[in-house]
Amino acid sequence: MPVPTTPIGRVLVTGGASGLGAAVVAAVAEAGGTPVVLDLAVDAVPEGVDAVTVNVTDTAATEQAVRDAAERHGGLDAVVTAAGIDKPAPIGGISSGDWERIVAVNLLGTAAVVRAALPALEATHGRVVTISSSLALRGVGDGTAYSASKFGVRGFSQALAAETGGRIGVTNVIPAGMRTNFFADRTEQYKPGPDAQLIEPEYVANAILFALAQPAGCEIRELSIMPATEPSWP
């Protein structure tokens, strides 16, 4: 008996102009869905994709952008919170502004998007896919802000699933390092070496679509995606 799947539909993607977010946008479009992007660099979004410039650290602007997107498209079927930043440094060597901005983008931005999208998602029994990290499983040195934010995203996702069970679906995706420009602005000591085990963002995007396509009543609560030799697992 074939397993039923849910159409992908209208998917709001934060950070959809690059990296994992861009891979999700491409996968949604290929699957016949309608991606909607919130990002700071919308010039990089493919032509024809609805994209809005917004800084997810601005909660009021982010919430309004989400509500406006839902209104333009007659609702939302899913949200994927792929926007994320990092700036590795010892805790004594990172400014308070940088530390707080990492948490604001990764955790508070995720929460702002979900809060604003919740009425639209409840109307469609839609899904939220949050993106944490392998560093939400085990923190590492020089990554206090990033680890704290991603541990927070994982906890937020678990609490959200408990609170909204039966009304929306919630999946937390836990990827290891991906082959994107996420590491481009780092100093050499914090860049992956030539032998680093990285995964393609398209692989993670495919897993996200798998979660989005699950039939009503079936929940994938967490997905860990990493190379076979990933040292941060378990």
Side-chain angles (χ1 to χ4, degrees), residues 132-159:
S132 58
S133 166
S134 57
L135 297 191
L137 302 175
R138 186 178 71 181
V140 297
D142 295 1
T144 54
Y146 189 78
S147 293
S149 69
K150 293 301 187 176
F151 267 82
V153 168
R154 191 178 182 212
F156 168 76
S157 304
Q158 291 177 0

Side-chain angles (χ1 to χ4, degrees), residues 12-30 35-39 41-46 49 80-84 131 178-181 200-206 208-209:
L12 181 76
V13 184
T14 67
S18 63
L20 174 60
V24 172
V25 168
V28 167
E30 185 176 350
V36 183
V37 172
L38 301 187
D39 204 307
V42 296
D43 290 346
V45 176
V49 174
V80 179
T81 58
I131 310 299
M178 290 175 281
R179 202 178 307 280
T180 70
N181 287 329
E200 303 299 330
E202 291 80 9
Y203 300 167
V204 182
N206 288 340
I208 289 171
L209 255 65

Side-chain angles (χ1 to χ4, degrees), residues 85-114:
I85 62 169
D86 190 18
K87 187 175 181 180
I91 191 168
I94 185 172
S95 71
S96 58
D98 284 339
W99 206 99
E100 291 168 9
R101 183 167 176 267
I102 292 166
V103 175
V105 170
N106 299 351
L107 176 57
L108 303 185
T110 292
V113 169
V114 171

Side-chain angles (χ1 to χ4, degrees), residues 179-201:
R179 202 178 307 280
T180 70
N181 287 329
F182 186 74
F183 306 107
D185 295 332
R186 295 184 175 189
T187 59
E188 287 302 317
Q189 74 183 102
Y190 294 121
K191 288 184 178 181
D195 59 346
Q197 297 292 314
L198 300 174
I199 52 176
E200 303 299 330

